Amino acid sequence: MTWDRERFQIEVQQLAVLTPEYAEDVLVRLAHHSAAIEGNTLTLADTITLLVDERTPAAGTRVRELYEVANHREVMVRILQAVAGGEPISTSLVLQVHAALMDHLARDFGRFKSSDNVVTGASWKPAPPSQVPGLIHQWADQTEWQTANLDGPALMEAIAGAHIAFERIHPFSDGNGRTGRAVIALQTIRRFGFPAIVPVDQRSAYFAMLDAQDASGLATLLAGRLAVESERPGAVPV
């Protein structure tokens, strides 16, 4: 856990994209829900204890689960840096997000997979390692153009479609879902001023949409989450 709360708050305040209070609120919920979707057992209260109170939630908590949540601090700052600087979505940015998320969790953090992987229960096969760099480069170019130029329902459909495409490429040995959901947060903060966070209680529906390539359904889910988020204290539309 290389980032502490004080460093996070200083960085957020300097970037001035979100208020420190709202950024921490987003951090806690993004970290909890995105990690929980992948099976992390820390509760929302545990996540607050870890990220806000800076205390270990409970004796016996697996170190891996702590990193899966705590690494979101650096990821959140990297997202806000990209938004503040007008940085385009790129292969380099995706690799940096993955590196931050998977620090202390995977030996190949920040690097594409070197061997084939399988998504348990999926009806499709991820792209082979040899194709990943080219596919991600094309994906990043298209995703950046769509994020910058589309509006309304077309934008939401594009964000959903890009997320599905990213998960189908499955460019990393581990951490693909968390990286993809961090990109959704980046896209939506950039365009709306607040993120769309997929909640863990929608996990089954979310996975079904990914498997069926249901961009329309996922767009509806994300739009609903944006509507809910817009009502939170501190969420200021762009």
Side-chain angles (χ1 to χ4, degrees):
M1 300 166 200
T2 55
W3 281 60
D4 60 20
R5 188 186 184 206
E6 182 180 9
R7 183 181 178 188
F8 173 79
Q9 291 182 323
I10 290 170
E11 292 282 347
V12 169
Q13 190 158 15
Q14 290 175 343
L15 291 168
V17 175
L18 307 177
T19 66
E21 296 80 10
Y22 179 56
E24 190 166 64
D25 175 46
V26 171
L27 166 65
V28 165
R29 290 179 294 114
L30 178 63
H32 166 64
H33 289 288
S34 195
I37 285 172
E38 303 301 329
N40 187 290
T41 64
L42 269 65
T43 66
L44 184 60
D46 290 336
T47 303
I48 293 170
T49 298
L50 180 62
L51 295 180
V52 179
D53 301 333
E54 296 193 298
R55 296 167 49 207
T56 304
T61 302
R62 294 174 60 214
V63 173
R64 180 178 183 85
E65 292 203 309
L66 299 177
Y67 279 118
E68 286 172 352
V69 168
N71 284 352
H72 280 80
R73 271 204 190 110
E74 186 174 351
V75 172
M76 188 73 200
V77 170
R78 188 66 189 90
I79 287 170
L80 297 180
Q81 287 172 341
V83 173
E87 182 179 350
I89 295 168
S90 65
T91 297
S92 176
L93 179 56
V94 170
L95 289 171
Q96 289 170 32
V97 168
H98 182 263
L101 276 168
M102 300 306 293
D103 187 24
H104 291 85
L105 296 173
R107 292 186 178 183
D108 58 350
F109 65 98
R111 300 193 299 274
F112 292 134
K113 63 188 179 185
S114 58
S115 59
D116 289 324
N117 50 2
V118 175
V119 180
T120 303
S123 63
W124 46 274
K125 287 180 61 176
S130 61
Q131 295 181 13
V132 166
L135 289 173
I136 287 295
H137 180 76
Q138 294 171 8
W139 172 89
D141 283 350
Q142 180 175 336
T143 300
E144 169 57 28
W145 187 92
Q146 291 172 332
T147 303
N149 293 285
L150 299 179
D151 293 293
L155 173 61
M156 296 311 302
E157 189 96 13
I159 291 173
H163 183 64
I164 292 169
F166 182 86
E167 297 307 321
R168 291 247 162 178
I169 297 170
H170 231 62
F172 303 110
S173 64
D174 191 16
N176 294 282
R178 278 165 282 169
T179 302
R181 290 185 292 276
V183 172
I184 290 176
L186 189 161
Q187 291 173 284
T188 47
I189 290 173
R190 174 176 162 186
R191 290 303 310 272
F192 301 99
F194 42 81
I197 299 173
V198 179
V200 67
D201 63 8
Q202 292 292 310
R203 181 178 185 270
S204 294
Y206 164 69
F207 280 155
M209 291 170 190
L210 295 182
D211 194 63
Q213 299 187 80
D214 182 5
S216 178
L218 183 55
T220 299
L221 187 157
L222 296 176
R225 299 318 303 171
L226 281 174
V228 170
E229 191 69 26
S230 70
E231 300 298 321
R232 290 191 76 85
V236 180
V238 172

